[in-house]
Amino acid sequence: MRAQLFTAAGRPLAAAELPEPRPGPQQVLIAVRACAVCRTDLHVVDGELPDPKLPLVPGHEIIGSVVGKGESVDRFAIGDRVGVPWLGWTCGICEYCRKGHENLCDRARFTGYQIDGGYAELTVADQRYCFAIDPRYSDVEAAPLMCAGLIGYRTLRMAGDAPLIGIYGFGAAAHIVAQVARHQGRRLFAFTRPGDLGAQDFARSLGAEWAGGSDHLPPEPLDAALIFAPVGALVPAALAATKKGGIVVCGGIHMSDIPSFPYCILWEERILRSVANLSRRDAEEFLALAPVAGIRTETVTYPLGSANDALADLRNGALRGAAVLIP
Ligand SMILES: [Zn+2]
Ligand SMILES: [Zn+2]
């Protein structure tokens, strides 16, 4: 099968011909129809995340068809359409798994990081971490739901019932979260790279009342801020834009260092927190909500062989919505 292979940090992905993967007892063999490109994939290829599997097939926003299965698979049949997210396996017995925080599992394994992912014609995935996809979505439309959607949804959930949300970084996750927030009746402000008028227009088209550069304060203070751009300097910016008792949630897996800041922007009971990974409960909730809420995804498609171009466009902020690879 054809795949795009990560071999060393800082090197472009290489086209490779790999043997067809064989499903283990709990795994399905999936013909990949679409795989979205996540910023985490960039962190992997840049060597910003420790100890990836090597060589590795990246990609953890997979939509495909079940074409084979192991002897214990009972949740899916041949021909079923499934989505595969970042969370690939958890132990079920560590203190975090037992407390219902499987996203923090001590021994969790992640798709496209410790497990080969979807930048390929075929992949295998544990059936217990695969999800049915609503027929209202095409393969390409559904792919960004699997991480931008799921982790974006978890990030929004951490903002509690905040009525006025600010989103920093208006990429793939933000464009989905904005629609969920509007569906929930929340108000929305969007912060982009200074001068990125295209992204500000895009944010307004998705319901942002106000959109401006991240170097600006919003017209009124936020109840909560969600940071999706991997830029540590946005943390003090967001704290300064958030009202007393407000919450700042960092939605990404990696960020540049956070500059020091005066205590007064955290004081008055502002909360600063991160989000790590996702739980299966997040996936079930969000994948049920998305079609009902009318969540649409904006995508730019690339052939599998152009994965490096998709990563470069994501890095350069040249995308409106999400990049999706088609094998
Ligand atoms: Zn992701
Ligand atoms: Zn565990």
Side-chain angles (χ1 to χ4, degrees), residues 46-59:
D46 288 346
E48 289 166 333
L49 302 183
D51 305 323
K53 172 186 178 293
L54 282 176
L56 169 74
V57 179

Side-chain angles (χ1 to χ4, degrees), residues 29 57 93 96-97 100 136 139 154 171 184 188 199 248-249 297 317:
L29 175 67
V57 179
I93 53 175
Y96 299 100
C97 283
R136 281 168 275 191
D139 298 329
R154 184 176 179 86
Q184 293 172 337
L188 184 67
V248 173
V249 190
T297 58

Side-chain angles (χ1 to χ4, degrees), residues 90-98 102 104-108:
T90 56
C91 77
I93 53 175
C94 73
E95 71 169 289
Y96 299 100
C97 283
R98 281 188 280 115
E102 65 179 1
L104 301 177
C105 172
D106 283 332
R107 294 195 288 146

Side-chain angles (χ1 to χ4, degrees), residues 38-41 60-61 86 147-148 151:
C38 176
R39 182 163 289 281
T40 298
D41 302 343
H60 58 268
E61 301 189 83
W86 170 246
C147 187
I151 294 194

Side-chain angles (χ1 to χ4, degrees), residues 29 60 91 94-95 128 142 147 149 152 155 201 208 235 288 295 307-308 311:
L29 175 67
H60 58 268
C91 77
C94 73
E95 71 169 289
R128 296 165 293 188
C147 187
T155 307
D201 280 345
V235 170
I295 305 300
N308 287 309
L311 288 168

Side-chain angles (χ1 to χ4, degrees), residues 51-293:
D51 305 323
K53 172 186 178 293
L54 282 176
L56 169 74
V57 179
H60 58 268
E61 301 189 83
I62 304 167
I63 303 294
S65 302
V66 175
V67 293
K69 52 186 211 168
E71 68 236 27
S72 304
V73 170
D74 50 6
R75 294 185 63 218
F76 298 103
I78 302 293
D80 284 356
R81 185 165 75 149
V82 292
V84 182
W86 170 246
L87 186 73
W89 186 85
T90 56
C91 77
I93 53 175
C94 73
E95 71 169 289
Y96 299 100
C97 283
R98 281 188 280 115
K99 280 194 291 194
H101 302 307
E102 65 179 1
N103 60 304
L104 301 177
C105 172
D106 283 332
R107 294 195 288 146
R109 288 156 54 81
F110 300 105
T111 312
Y113 182 30
Q114 287 114 359
I115 304 171
D116 280 333
Y119 287 20
E121 290 175 300
L122 293 164
T123 194
V124 290
D126 189 310
Q127 62 155 353
R128 296 165 293 188
Y129 301 84
C130 295
F131 299 90
I133 300 297
D134 191 278
R136 281 168 275 191
Y137 291 104
S138 71
D139 298 329
V140 169
E141 287 168 335
L145 300 177
M146 297 313 298
C147 187
L150 292 183
I151 294 194
Y153 174 74
R154 184 176 179 86
T155 307
L156 178 63
R157 200 149 67 69
M158 297 308 168
D161 57 2
L164 173 57
I165 300 272
I167 297 184
Y168 287 77
F170 214 85
H175 98 288
I176 295 172
V177 170
Q179 298 173 65
V180 178
R182 293 295 299 136
H183 173 75
Q184 293 172 337
R186 306 181 200 237
R187 298 171 60 214
L188 184 67
F189 291 167
F191 300 81
T192 69
R193 296 185 205 212
D196 190 347
L197 303 181
Q200 291 166 19
D201 280 345
F202 185 39
R204 278 189 214 95
S205 76
L206 292 170
E209 250 174 72
W210 174 89
S214 56
D215 53 343
H216 283 67
L217 282 173
E220 53 186 292
L222 309 169
D223 295 302
L226 316 181
I227 304 180
F228 291 113
V231 179
L234 293 175
V235 170
L239 281 168
T242 300
K243 68 171 64 157
K244 290 184 276 188
I247 306 174
V248 173
V249 190
C250 301
I253 193 170
H254 176 83
M255 226 183 207
S256 55
D257 286 353
I258 301 169
S260 71
F261 54 83
Y263 176 62
C264 64
I265 61 174
L266 177 63
W267 189 60
E268 297 171 319
E269 304 198 343
R270 289 177 187 83
I271 296 165
L272 174 61
R273 67 164 300 159
S274 67
V275 156
N277 313 316
L278 70 138
S279 67
R280 283 174 281 181
R281 192 191 126 199
D282 295 320
E284 274 147 23
E285 278 182 22
F286 174 71
L287 292 172
L289 170 70
V292 174

